[in-house]
Amino acid sequence: MSQGRIITGDELKADVTVSCDVCVVGSGSGGAWTALELVKQGKRVVMLEEGGYHTRREFDMTEPRAFQTLYQELGNRATDDLALTILQGRSVGGGTTVNWCSTFRTPDRILALWRDRHGVDTLSPEVLTPHWEAIERRLHVAPWPQELINENNKVLWDGLGALGYERGLIRRNVNNCLNLGACGMGCPVDAKQSMLVTVLPDAVEQGLTLYSDCSARVLDWDGRRVRAVHAEVVDGLTRKPTGVKVTVKPKVTVVSGGAINSPALLMRSELLSEGRVGERTWVHPVLMMMAEFEHEVNAFRGAPQSVYSHHFIERGPGKMGYFLEVPPVHPMLASIVATGSGDETIELMTKLKHLNVMIAIHVDGLLPEETGGTVRLRRGGYGRHSINYAFTDAHWEAFRHSCKEMAKLQFAAGAKRVRSLHLAPVTLRSPSEVDALDAAPWAPVQVKVATAHQMGGCRMGKDPSTSVVDPRLRYHGLDNLFVVDGSVLPTSLGVNPQETIFGIARWAAGHIGQAV
């Protein structure tokens, strides 16, 4: 097969219609691996990506440029009530272009839960392990050396050690990493083995045609088959339609837009699965605690995430578990998550070099009574959606518990002050004051909650009355439509999700190719 190419939106001056074997919508974790495996099978694959094509030459390690070009809604995506901030990638490579490189296989207990509760009998460690092994070789996945962890991660490592909690080193998909700390802004030296610099170039070399700045708007279907994918070229700066249309006529369509954009595309196409599309969305809700140290932490330098703990991943019946990591603390990101008055924020930012932030990532979707969030279409605002996520008593109990444990860890690592991210922050000056967090206002908008992991909304399952796609990711009711991304996950994972999606996509491409 001849080499493919990447076609950017500014190259398209007139409407385009193209036929192919497979149209893949989305170029992130799911779409990239699916496309690569399909072109290796000799399939003619066209990929549509609504984000722009940006490379290391543009990655100048500045947040204003990164948020404007590489994130959904310029990094301001949120639930309707503003109680949950949503960080999600939007460019060629999707979230892998801006994530922090944490790479975990799907936990066995999660695969077992999917099998027993949701009828997903196609996925198991035995099925996925060969795919993970191949993926890890291609992406140079390896634990980050302990001697290279930065001061920010060392706070978590030392705190866990002091309290006797379980701890480990994160495996990262990097090659010749310079430890710059700019992973969330796009790697300026292509050391991060994102889809942008690995799997997608591999696929293009073998025939993939990728249209960037091209937003898939509607799937045209009739009977049991998708006939065409209708897309619009969007301006890279304004993100508004230019008026140029792209129509793809595939034999098979794969939707890989992620847990918010994939449900939205299906809903715009009136593929509702009796209302199940956009339901049971999981987000790994993140709570944060900020600590100030006497010495410089410089949390904006070095590998962003290299230490983790699953000490609290299972907390007993009826309780939500969580895992612990740290994020980088760059100026814009810090000021976005900081709470309090303007003067307080200004004072806080003057101490940036001395700040550590710890995060607790909560594992939603495992308790039988949980219903998760919803994604719906919103009138007006191109590319915006109505997103809702209600916190339950189990959430608030886990949020209080995790914030208290993070404070203990930060003090154990030597913090002189620890501050919650409530609208009216609670400042602690010693471990003996940790219980003061119990009296804080635990309510929506009163405490900062964020997510960088979106899952669900098109969940897989054997029963068509309770799921959107079957255990082989085919949309119930259509013969040539598959969904391959984080939206198919029946629950959240309890680990960073990129390798789970990589593995499922590489596996799914085998039988998707047979449907052509």
mmCIF file of all heavy atoms in Angstrom, residues 316-357:
data_model
loop_
_atom_site.group_PDB
_atom_site.id
_atom_site.type_symbol
_atom_site.label_atom_id
_atom_site.label_comp_id
_atom_site.label_asym_id
_atom_site.label_seq_id
_atom_site.Cartn_x
_atom_site.Cartn_y
_atom_site.Cartn_z
ATOM 1 N N GLY A 316 -13.229 -1.409 51.550
ATOM 2 C CA GLY A 316 -14.289 -2.175 52.186
ATOM 3 C C GLY A 316 -15.645 -1.929 51.553
ATOM 4 O O GLY A 316 -15.831 -1.001 50.757
ATOM 5 N N PRO A 317 -16.629 -2.744 51.895
ATOM 6 C CA PRO A 317 -17.967 -2.666 51.290
ATOM 7 C C PRO A 317 -18.598 -1.292 51.464
ATOM 8 O O PRO A 317 -18.530 -0.689 52.543
ATOM 9 C CB PRO A 317 -18.758 -3.738 52.044
ATOM 10 C CG PRO A 317 -17.729 -4.688 52.566
ATOM 11 C CD PRO A 317 -16.531 -3.851 52.869
ATOM 12 N N GLY A 318 -19.192 -0.795 50.407
ATOM 13 C CA GLY A 318 -19.923 0.463 50.464
ATOM 14 C C GLY A 318 -19.063 1.712 50.428
ATOM 15 O O GLY A 318 -19.595 2.817 50.457
ATOM 16 N N LYS A 319 -17.731 1.539 50.339
ATOM 17 C CA LYS A 319 -16.846 2.697 50.344
ATOM 18 C C LYS A 319 -16.106 2.805 49.017
ATOM 19 O O LYS A 319 -15.716 1.802 48.428
ATOM 20 C CB LYS A 319 -15.851 2.619 51.496
ATOM 21 C CG LYS A 319 -16.515 2.790 52.867
ATOM 22 C CD LYS A 319 -15.497 2.890 53.972
ATOM 23 C CE LYS A 319 -16.180 3.155 55.314
ATOM 24 N NZ LYS A 319 -15.188 3.269 56.407
ATOM 25 N N MET A 320 -15.909 4.027 48.585
ATOM 26 C CA MET A 320 -15.207 4.302 47.335
ATOM 27 C C MET A 320 -13.710 4.357 47.598
ATOM 28 O O MET A 320 -13.253 5.067 48.492
ATOM 29 C CB MET A 320 -15.706 5.632 46.763
ATOM 30 C CG MET A 320 -15.132 5.992 45.408
ATOM 31 S SD MET A 320 -15.882 7.517 44.760
ATOM 32 C CE MET A 320 -17.548 6.954 44.404
ATOM 33 N N GLY A 321 -12.956 3.595 46.820
ATOM 34 C CA GLY A 321 -11.512 3.615 46.959
ATOM 35 C C GLY A 321 -10.886 4.737 46.140
ATOM 36 O O GLY A 321 -11.552 5.419 45.354
ATOM 37 N N TYR A 322 -9.591 4.918 46.323
ATOM 38 C CA TYR A 322 -8.860 5.941 45.567
ATOM 39 C C TYR A 322 -7.387 5.572 45.497
ATOM 40 O O TYR A 322 -6.898 4.745 46.271
ATOM 41 C CB TYR A 322 -9.046 7.329 46.177
ATOM 42 C CG TYR A 322 -8.631 7.456 47.635
ATOM 43 C CD1 TYR A 322 -7.326 7.797 47.984
ATOM 44 C CD2 TYR A 322 -9.553 7.261 48.666
ATOM 45 C CE1 TYR A 322 -6.953 7.926 49.313
ATOM 46 C CE2 TYR A 322 -9.188 7.394 50.000
ATOM 47 C CZ TYR A 322 -7.888 7.721 50.318
ATOM 48 O OH TYR A 322 -7.517 7.853 51.638
ATOM 49 N N PHE A 323 -6.683 6.167 44.532
ATOM 50 C CA PHE A 323 -5.242 6.000 44.462
ATOM 51 C C PHE A 323 -4.594 7.373 44.458
ATOM 52 O O PHE A 323 -5.238 8.388 44.171
ATOM 53 C CB PHE A 323 -4.806 5.146 43.271
ATOM 54 C CG PHE A 323 -5.257 5.604 41.902
ATOM 55 C CD1 PHE A 323 -4.351 6.139 40.985
ATOM 56 C CD2 PHE A 323 -6.576 5.444 41.491
ATOM 57 C CE1 PHE A 323 -4.753 6.516 39.716
ATOM 58 C CE2 PHE A 323 -6.984 5.831 40.211
ATOM 59 C CZ PHE A 323 -6.075 6.370 39.326
ATOM 60 N N LEU A 324 -3.320 7.405 44.814
ATOM 61 C CA LEU A 324 -2.610 8.657 45.062
ATOM 62 C C LEU A 324 -1.478 8.857 44.057
ATOM 63 O O LEU A 324 -0.703 7.933 43.780
ATOM 64 C CB LEU A 324 -2.027 8.654 46.479
ATOM 65 C CG LEU A 324 -3.037 8.533 47.628
ATOM 66 C CD1 LEU A 324 -2.317 8.245 48.937
ATOM 67 C CD2 LEU A 324 -3.874 9.792 47.747
ATOM 68 N N GLU A 325 -1.390 10.078 43.533
ATOM 69 C CA GLU A 325 -0.303 10.502 42.660
ATOM 70 C C GLU A 325 -0.059 11.987 42.932
ATOM 71 O O GLU A 325 -0.688 12.581 43.815
ATOM 72 C CB GLU A 325 -0.657 10.262 41.183
ATOM 73 C CG GLU A 325 -0.830 8.797 40.816
ATOM 74 C CD GLU A 325 -1.326 8.560 39.401
ATOM 75 O OE1 GLU A 325 -1.750 9.539 38.733
ATOM 76 O OE2 GLU A 325 -1.304 7.402 38.958
ATOM 77 N N VAL A 326 0.844 12.590 42.187
ATOM 78 C CA VAL A 326 1.004 14.045 42.237
ATOM 79 C C VAL A 326 0.913 14.583 40.812
ATOM 80 O O VAL A 326 1.282 13.893 39.860
ATOM 81 C CB VAL A 326 2.337 14.493 42.882
ATOM 82 C CG1 VAL A 326 2.457 13.988 44.303
ATOM 83 C CG2 VAL A 326 3.525 14.058 42.041
ATOM 84 N N PRO A 327 0.444 15.809 40.638
ATOM 85 C CA PRO A 327 0.480 16.472 39.338
ATOM 86 C C PRO A 327 1.631 17.482 39.307
ATOM 87 O O PRO A 327 2.179 17.842 40.354
ATOM 88 C CB PRO A 327 -0.857 17.212 39.313
ATOM 89 C CG PRO A 327 -1.008 17.651 40.750
ATOM 90 C CD PRO A 327 -0.364 16.572 41.599
ATOM 91 N N PRO A 328 1.982 17.967 38.127
ATOM 92 C CA PRO A 328 2.906 19.098 38.080
ATOM 93 C C PRO A 328 2.201 20.352 38.590
ATOM 94 O O PRO A 328 0.973 20.434 38.583
ATOM 95 C CB PRO A 328 3.235 19.224 36.587
ATOM 96 C CG PRO A 328 2.024 18.683 35.900
ATOM 97 C CD PRO A 328 1.509 17.582 36.787
ATOM 98 N N VAL A 329 2.962 21.317 39.037
ATOM 99 C CA VAL A 329 2.395 22.581 39.529
ATOM 100 C C VAL A 329 2.976 23.713 38.686
ATOM 101 O O VAL A 329 3.925 24.387 39.078
ATOM 102 C CB VAL A 329 2.683 22.788 41.027
ATOM 103 C CG1 VAL A 329 1.929 24.012 41.547
ATOM 104 C CG2 VAL A 329 2.267 21.560 41.832
ATOM 105 N N HIS A 330 2.392 23.885 37.490
ATOM 106 C CA HIS A 330 2.767 24.990 36.615
ATOM 107 C C HIS A 330 1.923 26.213 36.958
ATOM 108 O O HIS A 330 0.831 26.085 37.532
ATOM 109 C CB HIS A 330 2.570 24.594 35.152
ATOM 110 C CG HIS A 330 3.484 23.497 34.700
ATOM 111 N ND1 HIS A 330 4.817 23.700 34.463
ATOM 112 C CD2 HIS A 330 3.250 22.181 34.466
ATOM 113 C CE1 HIS A 330 5.371 22.557 34.085
ATOM 114 N NE2 HIS A 330 4.445 21.623 34.079
ATOM 115 N N PRO A 331 2.374 27.405 36.638
ATOM 116 C CA PRO A 331 1.688 28.621 37.097
ATOM 117 C C PRO A 331 0.212 28.700 36.699
ATOM 118 O O PRO A 331 -0.643 28.963 37.550
ATOM 119 C CB PRO A 331 2.499 29.747 36.444
ATOM 120 C CG PRO A 331 3.855 29.178 36.239
ATOM 121 C CD PRO A 331 3.645 27.727 35.939
ATOM 122 N N MET A 332 -0.099 28.471 35.425
ATOM 123 C CA MET A 332 -1.490 28.613 35.005
ATOM 124 C C MET A 332 -2.356 27.512 35.606
ATOM 125 O O MET A 332 -3.453 27.769 36.114
ATOM 126 C CB MET A 332 -1.604 28.600 33.478
ATOM 127 C CG MET A 332 -3.023 28.840 32.971
ATOM 128 S SD MET A 332 -3.153 28.881 31.170
ATOM 129 C CE MET A 332 -2.293 30.423 30.823
ATOM 130 N N LEU A 333 -1.858 26.270 35.579
ATOM 131 C CA LEU A 333 -2.624 25.168 36.148
ATOM 132 C C LEU A 333 -2.842 25.385 37.637
ATOM 133 O O LEU A 333 -3.930 25.156 38.167
ATOM 134 C CB LEU A 333 -1.889 23.847 35.902
ATOM 135 C CG LEU A 333 -2.643 22.567 36.257
ATOM 136 C CD1 LEU A 333 -3.940 22.450 35.459
ATOM 137 C CD2 LEU A 333 -1.756 21.339 36.002
ATOM 138 N N ALA A 334 -1.824 25.869 38.343
ATOM 139 C CA ALA A 334 -1.949 26.125 39.773
ATOM 140 C C ALA A 334 -2.980 27.215 40.054
ATOM 141 O O ALA A 334 -3.789 27.106 40.983
ATOM 142 C CB ALA A 334 -0.597 26.514 40.361
ATOM 143 N N SER A 335 -2.969 28.266 39.243
ATOM 144 C CA SER A 335 -3.910 29.365 39.489
ATOM 145 C C SER A 335 -5.336 28.972 39.137
ATOM 146 O O SER A 335 -6.289 29.477 39.727
ATOM 147 C CB SER A 335 -3.494 30.606 38.689
ATOM 148 O OG SER A 335 -3.499 30.348 37.307
ATOM 149 N N ILE A 336 -5.485 28.033 38.186
ATOM 150 C CA ILE A 336 -6.823 27.550 37.843
ATOM 151 C C ILE A 336 -7.432 26.768 39.000
ATOM 152 O O ILE A 336 -8.605 26.931 39.350
ATOM 153 C CB ILE A 336 -6.777 26.688 36.567
ATOM 154 C CG1 ILE A 336 -6.521 27.558 35.335
ATOM 155 C CG2 ILE A 336 -8.087 25.905 36.371
ATOM 156 C CD1 ILE A 336 -6.262 26.765 34.069
ATOM 157 N N VAL A 337 -6.639 25.888 39.610
ATOM 158 C CA VAL A 337 -7.188 25.038 40.676
ATOM 159 C C VAL A 337 -7.180 25.728 42.032
ATOM 160 O O VAL A 337 -7.909 25.312 42.942
ATOM 161 C CB VAL A 337 -6.430 23.691 40.777
ATOM 162 C CG1 VAL A 337 -6.494 22.947 39.467
ATOM 163 C CG2 VAL A 337 -4.988 23.890 41.225
ATOM 164 N N ALA A 338 -6.379 26.778 42.199
ATOM 165 C CA ALA A 338 -6.319 27.470 43.487
ATOM 166 C C ALA A 338 -7.669 28.093 43.827
ATOM 167 O O ALA A 338 -8.402 28.553 42.955
ATOM 168 C CB ALA A 338 -5.239 28.536 43.465
ATOM 169 N N THR A 339 -8.001 28.069 45.081
ATOM 170 C CA THR A 339 -9.245 28.666 45.556
ATOM 171 C C THR A 339 -8.908 29.768 46.554
ATOM 172 O O THR A 339 -7.777 29.921 46.984
ATOM 173 C CB THR A 339 -10.129 27.608 46.224
ATOM 174 O OG1 THR A 339 -9.356 26.937 47.240
ATOM 175 C CG2 THR A 339 -10.624 26.584 45.217
ATOM 176 N N GLY A 340 -9.910 30.521 46.927
ATOM 177 C CA GLY A 340 -9.696 31.640 47.840
ATOM 178 C C GLY A 340 -9.822 32.956 47.103
ATOM 179 O O GLY A 340 -10.159 33.011 45.919
ATOM 180 N N SER A 341 -9.524 34.042 47.794
ATOM 181 C CA SER A 341 -9.678 35.376 47.217
ATOM 182 C C SER A 341 -8.523 35.698 46.285
ATOM 183 O O SER A 341 -7.508 34.991 46.237
ATOM 184 C CB SER A 341 -9.721 36.420 48.332
ATOM 185 O OG SER A 341 -8.445 36.504 48.964
ATOM 186 N N GLY A 342 -8.656 36.802 45.540
ATOM 187 C CA GLY A 342 -7.606 37.216 44.621
ATOM 188 C C GLY A 342 -6.281 37.433 45.309
ATOM 189 O O GLY A 342 -5.240 36.983 44.829
ATOM 190 N N ASP A 343 -6.295 38.136 46.452
ATOM 191 C CA ASP A 343 -5.052 38.397 47.164
ATOM 192 C C ASP A 343 -4.411 37.096 47.653
ATOM 193 O O ASP A 343 -3.188 36.945 47.627
ATOM 194 C CB ASP A 343 -5.313 39.320 48.360
ATOM 195 C CG ASP A 343 -5.617 40.748 47.929
ATOM 196 O OD1 ASP A 343 -5.309 41.082 46.768
ATOM 197 O OD2 ASP A 343 -6.160 41.510 48.744
ATOM 198 N N GLU A 344 -5.276 36.173 48.110
ATOM 199 C CA GLU A 344 -4.754 34.881 48.566
ATOM 200 C C GLU A 344 -4.058 34.145 47.432
ATOM 201 O O GLU A 344 -2.993 33.558 47.607
ATOM 202 C CB GLU A 344 -5.900 34.006 49.091
ATOM 203 C CG GLU A 344 -6.223 34.172 50.559
ATOM 204 C CD GLU A 344 -7.287 33.180 50.975
ATOM 205 O OE1 GLU A 344 -8.391 33.228 50.410
ATOM 206 O OE2 GLU A 344 -7.003 32.357 51.871
ATOM 207 N N THR A 345 -4.675 34.176 46.268
ATOM 208 C CA THR A 345 -4.104 33.485 45.115
ATOM 209 C C THR A 345 -2.790 34.118 44.706
ATOM 210 O O THR A 345 -1.815 33.420 44.398
ATOM 211 C CB THR A 345 -5.089 33.491 43.939
ATOM 212 O OG1 THR A 345 -6.309 32.876 44.338
ATOM 213 C CG2 THR A 345 -4.519 32.765 42.737
ATOM 214 N N ILE A 346 -2.736 35.431 44.712
ATOM 215 C CA ILE A 346 -1.495 36.129 44.368
ATOM 216 C C ILE A 346 -0.381 35.752 45.338
ATOM 217 O O ILE A 346 0.749 35.446 44.931
ATOM 218 C CB ILE A 346 -1.716 37.660 44.357
ATOM 219 C CG1 ILE A 346 -2.629 38.052 43.189
ATOM 220 C CG2 ILE A 346 -0.376 38.389 44.259
ATOM 221 C CD1 ILE A 346 -3.084 39.493 43.224
ATOM 222 N N GLU A 347 -0.705 35.742 46.621
ATOM 223 C CA GLU A 347 0.300 35.371 47.618
ATOM 224 C C GLU A 347 0.753 33.924 47.417
ATOM 225 O O GLU A 347 1.955 33.604 47.507
ATOM 226 C CB GLU A 347 -0.266 35.531 49.028
ATOM 227 C CG GLU A 347 0.750 35.181 50.116
ATOM 228 C CD GLU A 347 0.163 35.228 51.507
ATOM 229 O OE1 GLU A 347 -1.041 35.521 51.642
ATOM 230 O OE2 GLU A 347 0.918 34.943 52.461
ATOM 231 N N LEU A 348 -0.213 33.062 47.116
ATOM 232 C CA LEU A 348 0.096 31.661 46.896
ATOM 233 C C LEU A 348 1.052 31.490 45.720
ATOM 234 O O LEU A 348 2.021 30.724 45.788
ATOM 235 C CB LEU A 348 -1.205 30.876 46.642
ATOM 236 C CG LEU A 348 -1.147 29.360 46.781
ATOM 237 C CD1 LEU A 348 -0.886 28.972 48.231
ATOM 238 C CD2 LEU A 348 -2.457 28.749 46.308
ATOM 239 N N MET A 349 0.802 32.232 44.655
ATOM 240 C CA MET A 349 1.624 32.083 43.458
ATOM 241 C C MET A 349 3.059 32.573 43.685
ATOM 242 O O MET A 349 3.989 32.120 43.014
ATOM 243 C CB MET A 349 0.991 32.826 42.286
ATOM 244 C CG MET A 349 -0.368 32.269 41.859
ATOM 245 S SD MET A 349 -0.330 30.501 41.498
ATOM 246 C CE MET A 349 0.693 30.485 40.035
ATOM 247 N N THR A 350 3.248 33.474 44.627
ATOM 248 C CA THR A 350 4.612 33.904 44.950
ATOM 249 C C THR A 350 5.403 32.776 45.610
ATOM 250 O O THR A 350 6.635 32.822 45.639
ATOM 251 C CB THR A 350 4.612 35.136 45.877
ATOM 252 O OG1 THR A 350 4.052 34.775 47.146
ATOM 253 C CG2 THR A 350 3.833 36.286 45.264
ATOM 254 N N LYS A 351 4.695 31.781 46.127
ATOM 255 C CA LYS A 351 5.345 30.643 46.798
ATOM 256 C C LYS A 351 5.422 29.417 45.898
ATOM 257 O O LYS A 351 5.668 28.297 46.378
ATOM 258 C CB LYS A 351 4.567 30.298 48.073
ATOM 259 C CG LYS A 351 4.467 31.450 49.068
ATOM 260 C CD LYS A 351 3.563 31.081 50.235
ATOM 261 C CE LYS A 351 3.443 32.231 51.225
ATOM 262 N NZ LYS A 351 2.501 31.912 52.331
ATOM 263 N N LEU A 352 5.209 29.595 44.603
ATOM 264 C CA LEU A 352 5.074 28.472 43.683
ATOM 265 C C LEU A 352 6.231 27.482 43.803
ATOM 266 O O LEU A 352 6.024 26.266 43.763
ATOM 267 C CB LEU A 352 4.971 28.997 42.248
ATOM 268 C CG LEU A 352 4.640 27.955 41.178
ATOM 269 C CD1 LEU A 352 3.216 27.451 41.336
ATOM 270 C CD2 LEU A 352 4.830 28.541 39.777
ATOM 271 N N LYS A 353 7.446 27.975 43.938
ATOM 272 C CA LYS A 353 8.605 27.082 43.997
ATOM 273 C C LYS A 353 8.568 26.151 45.203
ATOM 274 O O LYS A 353 9.231 25.106 45.208
ATOM 275 C CB LYS A 353 9.899 27.898 44.035
ATOM 276 C CG LYS A 353 10.231 28.627 42.741
ATOM 277 C CD LYS A 353 11.571 29.337 42.871
ATOM 278 C CE LYS A 353 11.977 30.009 41.556
ATOM 279 N NZ LYS A 353 13.298 30.670 41.664
ATOM 280 N N HIS A 354 7.804 26.526 46.213
ATOM 281 C CA HIS A 354 7.794 25.768 47.467
ATOM 282 C C HIS A 354 6.546 24.897 47.616
ATOM 283 O O HIS A 354 6.346 24.286 48.670
ATOM 284 C CB HIS A 354 7.882 26.730 48.655
ATOM 285 C CG HIS A 354 9.162 27.506 48.696
ATOM 286 N ND1 HIS A 354 10.255 27.120 49.431
ATOM 287 C CD2 HIS A 354 9.527 28.654 48.054
ATOM 288 C CE1 HIS A 354 11.236 27.987 49.258
ATOM 289 N NE2 HIS A 354 10.818 28.934 48.427
ATOM 290 N N LEU A 355 5.724 24.828 46.574
ATOM 291 C CA LEU A 355 4.431 24.144 46.683
ATOM 292 C C LEU A 355 4.473 22.729 46.121
ATOM 293 O O LEU A 355 5.075 22.463 45.082
ATOM 294 C CB LEU A 355 3.345 24.935 45.958
ATOM 295 C CG LEU A 355 3.039 26.339 46.485
ATOM 296 C CD1 LEU A 355 1.923 26.966 45.660
ATOM 297 C CD2 LEU A 355 2.680 26.310 47.959
ATOM 298 N N ASN A 356 3.817 21.843 46.834
ATOM 299 C CA ASN A 356 3.503 20.495 46.346
ATOM 300 C C ASN A 356 1.995 20.344 46.326
ATOM 301 O O ASN A 356 1.297 20.836 47.208
ATOM 302 C CB ASN A 356 4.101 19.428 47.277
ATOM 303 C CG ASN A 356 3.369 18.089 47.227
ATOM 304 O OD1 ASN A 356 2.469 17.847 48.020
ATOM 305 N ND2 ASN A 356 3.752 17.245 46.291
ATOM 306 N N VAL A 357 1.491 19.688 45.292
ATOM 307 C CA VAL A 357 0.078 19.312 45.254
ATOM 308 C C VAL A 357 0.011 17.798 45.164
ATOM 309 O O VAL A 357 0.737 17.176 44.384
ATOM 310 C CB VAL A 357 -0.656 19.949 44.060
ATOM 311 C CG1 VAL A 357 -2.075 19.413 43.945
ATOM 312 C CG2 VAL A 357 -0.682 21.469 44.220
#
